[in-house]
Amino acid sequence: MIESFKQASSGQEKLWKVFWLWGFIGLFAVGVVTVLLMILTEMISLGSVARILISLIILVYFLWVVFAVWRCAFNVNWKIWGYLVRVYIVLQIVLMGVGIWKGVNLELQRPVSGYAVPEQSKSVDVQPTAPSMAAQSQDTSAEPSVSYTKCKEKMEAHALSNNVDPQAYVAQNIGWLNDCVRRAENQ
């Protein structure tokens, strides 16, 4: 196995071994392990740093496979396979780049402190009412509670950091706001 790894790295291994063993089966195994590790990081709340490190390990293996397949592309009896596999490699690199771009964007939009990112960001003119304001809703001159104001400001800041309309975000996630107010008032 180590000898095959060295030969693949130097471009001396047969293409079918590099493509099918290191590329197809190897990447499948790495993918299964990755999914398990991602589930584990979610279960024990390791956070985005762990997910990024796992993604970097996959990226390094993927790039090595691409490098090895490219170098071994013409180690075949029928040279057309070399050209076909190189076209395939270019397509894989493009798709991996798109996947990384989308993954980074999703990671940047990941909710903070349990707040969900809204599905749409159009402006909604809705004034949320927290449970602590129920008694105050009869008196229109009453100010919102400190808990409500802090929770709403926290949600609005999160919305702004994710390029989302703060009013729409708060309106669409009123349940989170109510939970935040309840937690703040119970402390």
Side-chain angles (χ1 to χ4, degrees), residues 115 128-134 136 144-155 170 173-187:
Y115 295 124
T129 305
S132 62
M133 293 184 64
Q136 298 172 358
S145 70
V146 174
S147 307
Y148 174 83
T149 304
K150 285 183 180 180
C151 290
K152 184 177 177 191
E153 286 173 357
K154 188 188 268 187
M155 287 182 73
V170 171
N173 295 286
I174 193 70
W176 290 109
L177 178 61
N178 293 337
D179 290 343
C180 179
V181 171
R182 269 188 242 114
R183 283 192 306 269
E185 289 177 349
N186 289 333
Q187 289 181 353

Side-chain angles (χ1 to χ4, degrees), residues 125-141:
D125 191 23
V126 177
Q127 295 301 321
T129 305
S132 62
M133 293 184 64
Q136 298 172 358
S137 63
Q138 297 162 355
D139 180 10
T140 56
S141 65

Side-chain angles (χ1 to χ4, degrees), residues 42 48 51 105-112 117 158 162:
E42 287 295 320
S48 57
R51 287 188 295 276
N105 283 339
L106 286 175
E107 190 63 33
L108 292 175
Q109 294 176 3
R110 199 169 180 78
V112 176
V117 175
H158 176 70
N162 285 292

